[in-house]
Amino acid sequence: MFQVDGEDQLGLDEVGLSETAWERLNLSEGTEVQVTHAPAIESLASVRRRIYGNRLDSRAFTKIVQDVVAGRYTEVQLAAFLTATAALPLDENETAHLTGAMIAVGERLQWGAPVVVDKHCVGGLPGNRTTPIVVAIIAANGLVMPKTSSRAITSPAGTADTMETLAPVDLDIAALKRVVDAEGGCIAWGGAVHLSPADDIFVRVERELDVDTEGQLIASVLSKKVAAGSTHVVIDIPVGPTAKVRSEEAATHLATRITAVAARFGLTAQCLLTDGTQPVGRGIGPALEALDVLAVLQNAPDAPADLRTRAAILAGAALEIGGKAKNGEGLALALETLAEGRAWKKFEAICVAQGGMRTPPKALHVHPLAAPYAGRVIHINNRKLSRLAKLAGAPEAKAAGIHLNVRLGDEVDRGQPLLYLHAETGGALAYALDYAAGAEDIIEIDV
Amino acid sequence: MFQVDGEDQLGLDEVGLSETAWERLNLSEGTEVQVTHAPAIESLASVRRRIYGNRLDSRAFTKIVQDVVAGRYTEVQLAAFLTATAALPLDENETAHLTGAMIAVGERLQWGAPVVVDKHCVGGLPGNRTTPIVVAIIAANGLVMPKTSSRAITSPAGTADTMETLAPVDLDIAALKRVVDAEGGCIAWGGAVHLSPADDIFVRVERELDVDTEGQLIASVLSKKVAAGSTHVVIDIPVGPTAKVRSEEAATHLATRITAVAARFGLTAQCLLTDGTQPVGRGIGPALEALDVLAVLQNAPDAPADLRTRAAILAGAALEIGGKAKNGEGLALALETLAEGRAWKKFEAICVAQGGMRTPPKALHVHPLAAPYAGRVIHINNRKLSRLAKLAGAPEAKAAGIHLNVRLGDEVDRGQPLLYLHAETGGALAYALDYAAGAEDIIEIDV
């Protein structure tokens, strides 16, 4: 169909391929190939049916997720599927079908223990870094807790980002098993384990759309928990006007739905509605949050009490559903485990098993944001604080972020630092200061 | 942030750009540039609100369409917007807001005539190539009809594809004005005129999703009619089980909505519900449809009567709303214009003005599909016929497509050709034959 006039041109009986295609098809030069029209993707008919408001059955979700994981959907088609399930939310059956379909396309870890505990936070609250503390308390009490966490998607730090400033987290399945066999627990990055390959694809598009629906959230979380071989999971749902879940009504609906869908897969889930009106601890950003975690584990006198209490409540619930404490006695056992230093000892051991303990880095640039006038702190905007920390460089710059100096209800003087910005470069600091200057309602003060 | 170790590497104070960025920004090497974070796209908040079921006002649609046309939306974000407006259909107000927003971002043609006539078909019926005939009749009767048409999006031929086998259609605005000034009408490709830049973007994504909603259809059609400077438009809505509009109820809803929204922009629209149960004429594909058009215009004895009648009905309606015929007398005037050869003379003159009349090409490969047994033709599947014509090479291969030999109700003998496949290459013919072998219900015969 075209002229051949140079050695870079293809002959009439030759086919050119992209680098990716060479790799995927595993071909060598000179191989004979047959080229045909791509077969139609049948599951797209289901996506179109869903767009126009028809509910889908288990078979339809299975086909969709299989095609998604096989890489057959374009970004546009992925976006259409995710948007359609936001416009008409997935019901309980559909959520379970999607969860099951996402479990089916991934691997499933096996642990030789009758009880395998897990913990999850639906997110949206900066500094809420309870996971390393919870794992240390649980493992110190003899339960198995092979915890894998994500890196930040839209937040200034994910648990994996924070933990990485304290120990290596990039463990493959063999390393993960070794650590858990030795110490009963781990705090690893889930990305290397690929517990939910479908979720890895959906998350990318959800992030671009900034759309995160209840049904997708539940399918994402539960598919990973089931794939990780968990039998019991405690789920932290922070509720507050600028948290991800904004009303108690929405939180209760989410909790009920999670528990019901989890039960269909033999997973015992307990949801805890927690205070989401302000950040947890003082640090926001990988290293700054790690310092809060260390302070709690080491029983430092200035350790943030709110982080300590939240972690103990979550660990207490896990100890109860995991059978290590009677109902109502979990919190006391968790606090005792912290106070006696057993949690810190276990945490150190886990870090060593994961490859050696590290010291969190410090930022080159630290700059205060001062109160413009005296008064009482009446509102803290979680979303804007997160944005501020990200502009300062978190999570890519591990030392970057925010050290928060005030909490709701505090009385402040004019000029008193409300927070300190931490940045690794002057440019990032300038971005953050620029944003702070135009957003005076990040921390609201009532005169 | 990286090592510089070769002349192809960027220095610390240098920035690399893609070819597209060089062009768009109109920069030369060595220019000093400032790089900042991209500003947030505020209108995406409206898209998210729409995804979650909230209706949008005029201002929101205006901002969305402005950002779309400025190239600020990714494919994923475009897909989300289009999907959201399919899941919860646009209501009349929203359709008008979207139409207005799409008009506002484009150019608007001006004609020095009080009445400017237009014609549109919502599509879905192969071979329904009335436009060239209608324009010829209307212009022959002294009305202004500057018709721009699209190329095929998912069909085997668009009016522009068919017309291109008879004359050049790639006219810019200056050429278009010249042809219309001289002859009163034209049949040009709309792509070069960019009457609705927003629609050009939406259509690409709709095609990938194979989703085409009522609201988007109306906004697309009416934004282009208003931009073209039309005052009166006749709209052909074919109704049939395998046409785009499948029930009279849906057609009536569409017609009512079109008329109401058009009125808000001072445009008089008349919708005609037409028979959509089988293709129009004999040809499906650019050149084969052009031959049908010529036969009707030239009063050939074997000219397809259905195409002639449809074109005359549409032209008659346009002559009536345009004030050239009394109510009830338009059809007769249209048929008279054809019979007297005035339409053919006008069509020839338009072709010459557009750059010279052409002879449609003929296909190298012609192959019959024979009736497998004797009986009566009881069903013709428009969608599958279109797919068959496309596999044979239409519309890229201008001569490719289908010559249909039977109509609904015809009695056929065993072995009698139901249709002839036309293809420019043996490979395309093989694809089409392959599909035909596996889809015996393209033309159903009752024994």
Side-chain angles (χ1 to χ4, degrees), chain A residues 327-386:
Chain A
N327 277 353
E329 295 178 7
L331 174 58
L333 175 56
L335 287 170
E336 197 184 291
T337 312
L338 278 171
E340 290 171 356
R342 290 198 288 127
W344 167 236
K345 212 176 130 193
K346 176 54 78 179
F347 185 75
E348 277 188 298
I350 289 172
C351 287
V352 170
Q354 289 192 189
M357 193 138 191
R358 294 169 176 170
T359 304
K362 290 215 163 109
L364 256 175
H365 303 263
V366 178
H367 195 281
L369 278 191
Y373 41 77
R376 204 163 54 88
V377 175
I378 56 159
H379 184 65
I380 297 180
N381 191 314
N382 292 316
R383 289 164 197 261
K384 294 192 173 176
L385 267 184
S386 290

Short mmCIF file of all heavy atoms in Angstrom, two decimals, chain A residues 327-386:
data_model
loop_
_atom_site.label_atom_id
_atom_site.label_comp_id
_atom_site.label_asym_id
_atom_site.label_seq_id
_atom_site.Cartn_x
_atom_site.Cartn_y
_atom_site.Cartn_z
N ASN A 327 -14.48 -9.01 75.30
CA ASN A 327 -15.16 -7.78 74.90
C ASN A 327 -15.06 -6.73 75.99
O ASN A 327 -15.33 -7.00 77.15
CB ASN A 327 -16.64 -8.06 74.59
CG ASN A 327 -16.80 -8.58 73.16
OD1 ASN A 327 -15.82 -8.61 72.40
ND2 ASN A 327 -18.01 -9.01 72.82
N GLY A 328 -14.62 -5.53 75.58
CA GLY A 328 -14.51 -4.44 76.54
C GLY A 328 -13.14 -4.37 77.20
O GLY A 328 -12.84 -3.42 77.92
N GLU A 329 -12.27 -5.35 76.95
CA GLU A 329 -10.95 -5.34 77.60
C GLU A 329 -9.81 -5.11 76.62
O GLU A 329 -8.64 -5.10 77.01
CB GLU A 329 -10.75 -6.66 78.36
CG GLU A 329 -11.74 -6.81 79.51
CD GLU A 329 -11.58 -8.16 80.26
OE1 GLU A 329 -10.63 -8.89 79.97
OE2 GLU A 329 -12.45 -8.42 81.12
N GLY A 330 -10.14 -4.95 75.34
CA GLY A 330 -9.11 -4.79 74.30
C GLY A 330 -8.30 -3.52 74.46
O GLY A 330 -7.06 -3.55 74.36
N LEU A 331 -9.00 -2.40 74.71
CA LEU A 331 -8.31 -1.11 74.81
C LEU A 331 -7.27 -1.12 75.93
O LEU A 331 -6.13 -0.68 75.75
CB LEU A 331 -9.34 0.01 75.05
CG LEU A 331 -8.78 1.41 75.32
CD1 LEU A 331 -7.90 1.91 74.18
CD2 LEU A 331 -9.92 2.41 75.57
N ALA A 332 -7.66 -1.68 77.08
CA ALA A 332 -6.74 -1.73 78.22
C ALA A 332 -5.50 -2.56 77.88
O ALA A 332 -4.36 -2.17 78.18
CB ALA A 332 -7.44 -2.31 79.45
N LEU A 333 -5.71 -3.69 77.22
CA LEU A 333 -4.58 -4.55 76.85
C LEU A 333 -3.66 -3.82 75.87
O LEU A 333 -2.42 -3.89 75.97
CB LEU A 333 -5.10 -5.86 76.23
CG LEU A 333 -4.03 -6.82 75.69
CD1 LEU A 333 -2.99 -7.20 76.75
CD2 LEU A 333 -4.67 -8.11 75.13
N ALA A 334 -4.27 -3.07 74.92
CA ALA A 334 -3.47 -2.34 73.94
C ALA A 334 -2.62 -1.27 74.63
O ALA A 334 -1.42 -1.14 74.34
CB ALA A 334 -4.38 -1.70 72.90
N LEU A 335 -3.23 -0.51 75.52
CA LEU A 335 -2.50 0.56 76.22
C LEU A 335 -1.38 -0.02 77.07
O LEU A 335 -0.27 0.54 77.15
CB LEU A 335 -3.47 1.38 77.08
CG LEU A 335 -4.41 2.31 76.30
CD1 LEU A 335 -5.50 2.89 77.21
CD2 LEU A 335 -3.62 3.45 75.62
N GLU A 336 -1.65 -1.16 77.70
CA GLU A 336 -0.66 -1.86 78.51
C GLU A 336 0.52 -2.31 77.65
O GLU A 336 1.69 -2.17 78.05
CB GLU A 336 -1.38 -3.08 79.10
CG GLU A 336 -0.71 -3.75 80.28
CD GLU A 336 -1.52 -4.99 80.67
OE1 GLU A 336 -2.67 -4.81 81.18
OE2 GLU A 336 -1.07 -6.11 80.39
N THR A 337 0.20 -2.83 76.46
CA THR A 337 1.26 -3.29 75.55
C THR A 337 2.18 -2.14 75.17
O THR A 337 3.40 -2.30 75.04
CB THR A 337 0.64 -3.91 74.28
OG1 THR A 337 -0.39 -4.82 74.66
CG2 THR A 337 1.68 -4.66 73.46
N LEU A 338 1.59 -0.95 74.98
CA LEU A 338 2.39 0.24 74.68
C LEU A 338 3.20 0.66 75.89
O LEU A 338 4.42 0.86 75.80
CB LEU A 338 1.47 1.41 74.28
CG LEU A 338 0.96 1.48 72.83
CD1 LEU A 338 -0.09 2.56 72.70
CD2 LEU A 338 2.12 1.72 71.86
N ALA A 339 2.53 0.75 77.05
CA ALA A 339 3.18 1.26 78.26
C ALA A 339 4.35 0.39 78.69
O ALA A 339 5.39 0.88 79.16
CB ALA A 339 2.15 1.38 79.39
N GLU A 340 4.21 -0.91 78.52
CA GLU A 340 5.27 -1.84 78.94
C GLU A 340 6.45 -1.89 77.97
O GLU A 340 7.42 -2.61 78.20
CB GLU A 340 4.68 -3.25 79.08
CG GLU A 340 3.74 -3.40 80.28
CD GLU A 340 3.01 -4.74 80.27
OE1 GLU A 340 3.19 -5.49 79.28
OE2 GLU A 340 2.29 -5.00 81.23
N GLY A 341 6.32 -1.17 76.84
CA GLY A 341 7.41 -1.17 75.86
C GLY A 341 7.42 -2.40 74.97
O GLY A 341 8.32 -2.57 74.14
N ARG A 342 6.40 -3.27 75.13
CA ARG A 342 6.39 -4.48 74.30
C ARG A 342 6.09 -4.14 72.83
O ARG A 342 6.61 -4.80 71.93
CB ARG A 342 5.34 -5.46 74.82
CG ARG A 342 5.72 -6.08 76.17
CD ARG A 342 4.91 -7.33 76.44
NE ARG A 342 3.51 -7.04 76.74
CZ ARG A 342 2.48 -7.59 76.11
NH1 ARG A 342 2.69 -8.45 75.13
NH2 ARG A 342 1.24 -7.28 76.44
N ALA A 343 5.26 -3.12 72.61
CA ALA A 343 4.95 -2.71 71.24
C ALA A 343 6.21 -2.16 70.56
O ALA A 343 6.51 -2.47 69.41
CB ALA A 343 3.83 -1.67 71.24
N TRP A 344 6.96 -1.32 71.28
CA TRP A 344 8.18 -0.73 70.71
C TRP A 344 9.19 -1.82 70.37
O TRP A 344 9.81 -1.81 69.31
CB TRP A 344 8.74 0.30 71.69
CG TRP A 344 10.14 0.77 71.40
CD1 TRP A 344 11.22 0.72 72.25
CD2 TRP A 344 10.62 1.35 70.17
NE1 TRP A 344 12.33 1.24 71.64
CE2 TRP A 344 11.99 1.64 70.35
CE3 TRP A 344 10.03 1.65 68.95
CZ2 TRP A 344 12.79 2.21 69.36
CZ3 TRP A 344 10.83 2.21 67.95
CH2 TRP A 344 12.18 2.50 68.16
N LYS A 345 9.33 -2.80 71.27
CA LYS A 345 10.28 -3.89 71.05
C LYS A 345 9.88 -4.67 69.79
O LYS A 345 10.71 -5.03 68.95
CB LYS A 345 10.26 -4.82 72.28
CG LYS A 345 11.61 -5.46 72.56
CD LYS A 345 11.60 -6.28 73.83
CE LYS A 345 12.19 -7.66 73.56
NZ LYS A 345 11.94 -8.61 74.65
N LYS A 346 8.57 -4.94 69.68
CA LYS A 346 8.08 -5.69 68.50
C LYS A 346 8.30 -4.87 67.22
O LYS A 346 8.71 -5.39 66.20
CB LYS A 346 6.59 -6.02 68.68
CG LYS A 346 5.93 -6.69 67.51
CD LYS A 346 6.66 -7.96 67.04
CE LYS A 346 6.37 -9.16 67.94
NZ LYS A 346 7.10 -10.37 67.43
N PHE A 347 8.06 -3.56 67.31
CA PHE A 347 8.23 -2.70 66.14
C PHE A 347 9.68 -2.71 65.66
O PHE A 347 9.96 -2.84 64.47
CB PHE A 347 7.77 -1.27 66.44
CG PHE A 347 7.81 -0.37 65.23
CD1 PHE A 347 6.83 -0.47 64.25
CD2 PHE A 347 8.84 0.56 65.07
CE1 PHE A 347 6.87 0.35 63.12
CE2 PHE A 347 8.88 1.38 63.94
CZ PHE A 347 7.90 1.27 62.97
N GLU A 348 10.60 -2.58 66.63
CA GLU A 348 12.03 -2.63 66.28
C GLU A 348 12.37 -3.94 65.58
O GLU A 348 13.08 -3.96 64.57
CB GLU A 348 12.87 -2.53 67.56
CG GLU A 348 13.09 -1.12 68.06
CD GLU A 348 14.12 -1.10 69.21
OE1 GLU A 348 13.82 -1.73 70.26
OE2 GLU A 348 15.19 -0.49 69.03
N ALA A 349 11.84 -5.04 66.11
CA ALA A 349 12.13 -6.36 65.54
C ALA A 349 11.59 -6.47 64.11
O ALA A 349 12.24 -7.03 63.22
CB ALA A 349 11.53 -7.46 66.43
N ILE A 350 10.39 -5.93 63.89
CA ILE A 350 9.80 -5.97 62.54
C ILE A 350 10.67 -5.17 61.57
O ILE A 350 10.96 -5.60 60.46
CB ILE A 350 8.35 -5.43 62.56
CG1 ILE A 350 7.42 -6.43 63.28
CG2 ILE A 350 7.84 -5.17 61.15
CD1 ILE A 350 6.00 -5.93 63.52
N CYS A 351 11.10 -3.98 62.02
CA CYS A 351 11.94 -3.14 61.16
C CYS A 351 13.23 -3.86 60.79
O CYS A 351 13.67 -3.85 59.63
CB CYS A 351 12.29 -1.81 61.86
SG CYS A 351 10.89 -0.68 61.94
N VAL A 352 13.84 -4.51 61.77
CA VAL A 352 15.08 -5.25 61.51
C VAL A 352 14.79 -6.37 60.51
O VAL A 352 15.52 -6.57 59.53
CB VAL A 352 15.67 -5.81 62.82
CG1 VAL A 352 16.81 -6.80 62.54
CG2 VAL A 352 16.16 -4.66 63.70
N ALA A 353 13.69 -7.09 60.72
CA ALA A 353 13.35 -8.20 59.82
C ALA A 353 13.07 -7.70 58.40
O ALA A 353 13.36 -8.38 57.41
CB ALA A 353 12.13 -8.95 60.35
N GLN A 354 12.53 -6.48 58.27
CA GLN A 354 12.23 -5.94 56.94
C GLN A 354 13.48 -5.40 56.24
O GLN A 354 13.41 -4.97 55.10
CB GLN A 354 11.16 -4.84 57.04
CG GLN A 354 9.79 -5.43 57.36
CD GLN A 354 8.61 -4.46 57.20
OE1 GLN A 354 7.51 -4.80 57.60
NE2 GLN A 354 8.82 -3.30 56.61
N GLY A 355 14.62 -5.37 56.98
CA GLY A 355 15.85 -4.94 56.31
C GLY A 355 16.66 -3.92 57.09
O GLY A 355 17.69 -3.45 56.61
N GLY A 356 16.22 -3.56 58.30
CA GLY A 356 17.02 -2.64 59.11
C GLY A 356 16.32 -1.33 59.40
O GLY A 356 15.69 -0.75 58.51
N MET A 357 16.44 -0.88 60.64
CA MET A 357 15.75 0.34 61.03
C MET A 357 16.45 1.58 60.48
O MET A 357 17.67 1.62 60.36
CB MET A 357 15.71 0.44 62.56
CG MET A 357 14.77 1.49 63.05
SD MET A 357 13.79 0.92 64.47
CE MET A 357 12.59 2.23 64.57
N ARG A 358 15.65 2.56 60.12
CA ARG A 358 16.18 3.80 59.55
C ARG A 358 15.79 5.00 60.42
O ARG A 358 14.82 4.93 61.18
CB ARG A 358 15.60 4.05 58.17
CG ARG A 358 16.01 3.05 57.12
CD ARG A 358 15.17 3.24 55.86
NE ARG A 358 15.62 2.36 54.79
CZ ARG A 358 14.96 2.17 53.66
NH1 ARG A 358 13.81 2.78 53.45
NH2 ARG A 358 15.43 1.36 52.74
N THR A 359 16.52 6.11 60.27
CA THR A 359 16.16 7.35 60.95
C THR A 359 15.48 8.27 59.94
O THR A 359 16.03 8.53 58.87
CB THR A 359 17.43 8.04 61.50
OG1 THR A 359 18.09 7.11 62.35
CG2 THR A 359 17.06 9.29 62.29
N PRO A 360 14.28 8.77 60.24
CA PRO A 360 13.58 9.65 59.29
C PRO A 360 14.40 10.89 58.97
O PRO A 360 15.06 11.45 59.86
CB PRO A 360 12.30 10.03 60.04
CG PRO A 360 12.12 8.99 61.09
CD PRO A 360 13.51 8.55 61.47
N PRO A 361 14.40 11.33 57.70
CA PRO A 361 15.20 12.50 57.30
C PRO A 361 14.59 13.80 57.82
O PRO A 361 13.42 13.86 58.16
CB PRO A 361 15.13 12.45 55.77
CG PRO A 361 13.82 11.78 55.48
CD PRO A 361 13.62 10.78 56.57
N LYS A 362 15.44 14.84 57.88
CA LYS A 362 14.97 16.16 58.31
C LYS A 362 14.96 17.13 57.14
O LYS A 362 15.79 17.03 56.25
CB LYS A 362 15.91 16.69 59.41
CG LYS A 362 15.76 15.90 60.70
CD LYS A 362 15.94 16.80 61.93
CE LYS A 362 15.39 16.14 63.18
NZ LYS A 362 16.45 15.72 64.13
N ALA A 363 14.06 18.09 57.15
CA ALA A 363 13.95 19.04 56.05
C ALA A 363 14.98 20.15 56.18
O ALA A 363 15.33 20.56 57.29
CB ALA A 363 12.55 19.65 56.02
N LEU A 364 15.47 20.64 55.03
CA LEU A 364 16.43 21.74 55.01
C LEU A 364 15.76 23.06 55.37
O LEU A 364 16.34 23.91 56.02
CB LEU A 364 17.02 21.89 53.61
CG LEU A 364 18.43 21.37 53.37
CD1 LEU A 364 18.79 21.49 51.89
CD2 LEU A 364 19.43 22.16 54.23
N HIS A 365 14.51 23.21 54.86
CA HIS A 365 13.81 24.48 55.04
C HIS A 365 12.63 24.31 56.00
O HIS A 365 11.76 23.48 55.75
CB HIS A 365 13.28 25.00 53.70
CG HIS A 365 14.35 25.18 52.67
ND1 HIS A 365 14.96 26.38 52.41
CD2 HIS A 365 14.95 24.29 51.84
CE1 HIS A 365 15.88 26.23 51.47
NE2 HIS A 365 15.88 24.96 51.09
N VAL A 366 12.61 25.07 57.08
CA VAL A 366 11.49 25.03 58.01
C VAL A 366 11.01 26.47 58.21
O VAL A 366 11.82 27.37 58.45
CB VAL A 366 11.90 24.41 59.37
CG1 VAL A 366 10.73 24.44 60.34
CG2 VAL A 366 12.40 22.98 59.16
N HIS A 367 9.72 26.68 58.04
CA HIS A 367 9.21 28.06 58.05
C HIS A 367 7.88 28.10 58.79
O HIS A 367 6.98 27.32 58.49
CB HIS A 367 9.05 28.54 56.61
CG HIS A 367 8.89 30.02 56.49
ND1 HIS A 367 7.71 30.66 56.76
CD2 HIS A 367 9.78 30.98 56.15
CE1 HIS A 367 7.88 31.96 56.58
NE2 HIS A 367 9.13 32.18 56.20
N PRO A 368 7.72 29.00 59.77
CA PRO A 368 6.46 29.04 60.52
C PRO A 368 5.36 29.79 59.76
O PRO A 368 5.64 30.69 58.99
CB PRO A 368 6.84 29.83 61.78
CG PRO A 368 7.96 30.71 61.35
CD PRO A 368 8.69 30.01 60.24
N LEU A 369 4.12 29.39 60.00
CA LEU A 369 2.96 30.21 59.61
C LEU A 369 2.35 30.71 60.91
O LEU A 369 1.93 29.92 61.74
CB LEU A 369 1.92 29.38 58.85
CG LEU A 369 2.13 29.12 57.36
CD1 LEU A 369 0.88 28.52 56.75
CD2 LEU A 369 2.51 30.41 56.62
N ALA A 370 2.31 32.04 61.05
CA ALA A 370 1.90 32.62 62.33
C ALA A 370 0.43 33.02 62.33
O ALA A 370 -0.15 33.31 61.29
CB ALA A 370 2.77 33.83 62.63
N ALA A 371 -0.16 33.05 63.52
CA ALA A 371 -1.55 33.48 63.66
C ALA A 371 -1.63 34.97 63.33
O ALA A 371 -0.86 35.76 63.87
CB ALA A 371 -2.02 33.24 65.09
N PRO A 372 -2.54 35.38 62.42
CA PRO A 372 -2.63 36.80 62.04
C PRO A 372 -3.21 37.66 63.15
O PRO A 372 -3.04 38.88 63.16
CB PRO A 372 -3.56 36.77 60.82
CG PRO A 372 -4.34 35.50 60.94
CD PRO A 372 -3.49 34.53 61.70
N TYR A 373 -3.91 37.04 64.10
CA TYR A 373 -4.46 37.77 65.25
C TYR A 373 -4.74 36.79 66.36
O TYR A 373 -4.75 35.56 66.13
CB TYR A 373 -5.72 38.56 64.87
CG TYR A 373 -6.66 37.82 63.95
CD1 TYR A 373 -7.50 36.81 64.44
CD2 TYR A 373 -6.69 38.10 62.59
CE1 TYR A 373 -8.35 36.13 63.59
CE2 TYR A 373 -7.53 37.41 61.73
CZ TYR A 373 -8.36 36.42 62.23
OH TYR A 373 -9.18 35.73 61.40
N ALA A 374 -4.96 37.29 67.57
CA ALA A 374 -5.22 36.41 68.71
C ALA A 374 -6.65 35.89 68.66
O ALA A 374 -7.53 36.53 68.10
CB ALA A 374 -4.98 37.18 70.00
N GLY A 375 -6.88 34.70 69.23
CA GLY A 375 -8.23 34.15 69.26
C GLY A 375 -8.20 32.65 69.51
O GLY A 375 -7.19 32.10 69.96
N ARG A 376 -9.35 32.01 69.19
CA ARG A 376 -9.47 30.59 69.46
C ARG A 376 -9.57 29.84 68.12
O ARG A 376 -10.30 30.27 67.22
CB ARG A 376 -10.72 30.33 70.32
CG ARG A 376 -10.68 29.05 71.13
CD ARG A 376 -11.75 29.09 72.23
NE ARG A 376 -13.05 29.38 71.66
CZ ARG A 376 -13.89 28.43 71.20
NH1 ARG A 376 -13.57 27.16 71.30
NH2 ARG A 376 -15.06 28.76 70.68
N VAL A 377 -8.88 28.70 68.02
CA VAL A 377 -8.95 27.90 66.80
C VAL A 377 -10.31 27.20 66.74
O VAL A 377 -10.64 26.40 67.62
CB VAL A 377 -7.82 26.83 66.78
CG1 VAL A 377 -7.96 25.93 65.56
CG2 VAL A 377 -6.45 27.52 66.80
N ILE A 378 -11.11 27.54 65.71
CA ILE A 378 -12.46 26.96 65.66
C ILE A 378 -12.68 26.01 64.50
O ILE A 378 -13.65 25.28 64.45
CB ILE A 378 -13.55 28.07 65.59
CG1 ILE A 378 -13.28 28.99 64.38
CG2 ILE A 378 -13.62 28.86 66.88
CD1 ILE A 378 -14.52 29.72 63.95
N HIS A 379 -11.76 26.00 63.52
CA HIS A 379 -11.93 25.09 62.40
C HIS A 379 -10.59 24.80 61.74
O HIS A 379 -9.78 25.69 61.55
CB HIS A 379 -12.90 25.68 61.36
CG HIS A 379 -13.19 24.74 60.24
ND1 HIS A 379 -13.86 23.54 60.41
CD2 HIS A 379 -12.87 24.79 58.92
CE1 HIS A 379 -13.94 22.92 59.25
NE2 HIS A 379 -13.35 23.64 58.33
N ILE A 380 -10.35 23.52 61.44
CA ILE A 380 -9.13 23.15 60.72
C ILE A 380 -9.57 22.42 59.46
O ILE A 380 -10.30 21.43 59.53
CB ILE A 380 -8.22 22.25 61.59
CG1 ILE A 380 -7.76 23.03 62.83
CG2 ILE A 380 -7.02 21.75 60.78
CD1 ILE A 380 -6.85 22.25 63.76
N ASN A 381 -9.17 22.90 58.29
CA ASN A 381 -9.58 22.31 57.02
C ASN A 381 -8.60 21.22 56.59
O ASN A 381 -7.51 21.49 56.09
CB ASN A 381 -9.70 23.40 55.94
CG ASN A 381 -10.38 22.87 54.70
OD1 ASN A 381 -10.06 21.79 54.22
ND2 ASN A 381 -11.34 23.64 54.19
N ASN A 382 -9.02 19.95 56.78
CA ASN A 382 -8.14 18.81 56.46
C ASN A 382 -7.68 18.83 55.00
O ASN A 382 -6.53 18.52 54.69
CB ASN A 382 -8.89 17.50 56.69
CG ASN A 382 -9.18 17.25 58.16
OD1 ASN A 382 -8.30 17.46 59.00
ND2 ASN A 382 -10.39 16.82 58.47
N ARG A 383 -8.63 19.14 54.09
CA ARG A 383 -8.30 19.09 52.66
C ARG A 383 -7.25 20.12 52.29
O ARG A 383 -6.32 19.85 51.54
CB ARG A 383 -9.57 19.32 51.83
CG ARG A 383 -10.50 18.14 51.90
CD ARG A 383 -11.90 18.44 51.44
NE ARG A 383 -12.76 17.39 51.92
CZ ARG A 383 -13.16 16.35 51.18
NH1 ARG A 383 -12.78 16.25 49.95
NH2 ARG A 383 -13.92 15.41 51.70
N LYS A 384 -7.42 21.33 52.85
CA LYS A 384 -6.47 22.39 52.51
C LYS A 384 -5.11 22.15 53.16
O LYS A 384 -4.07 22.47 52.59
CB LYS A 384 -7.05 23.75 52.89
CG LYS A 384 -8.28 24.08 52.03
CD LYS A 384 -8.75 25.51 52.14
CE LYS A 384 -9.86 25.74 51.10
NZ LYS A 384 -10.43 27.09 51.21
N LEU A 385 -5.12 21.57 54.37
CA LEU A 385 -3.85 21.23 55.02
C LEU A 385 -3.11 20.21 54.17
O LEU A 385 -1.88 20.28 53.99
CB LEU A 385 -4.09 20.64 56.41
CG LEU A 385 -4.08 21.59 57.60
CD1 LEU A 385 -4.24 20.79 58.89
CD2 LEU A 385 -2.79 22.41 57.67
N SER A 386 -3.85 19.21 53.64
CA SER A 386 -3.23 18.19 52.80
C SER A 386 -2.62 18.82 51.56
O SER A 386 -1.50 18.51 51.16
CB SER A 386 -4.27 17.15 52.36
OG SER A 386 -4.67 16.37 53.46
#
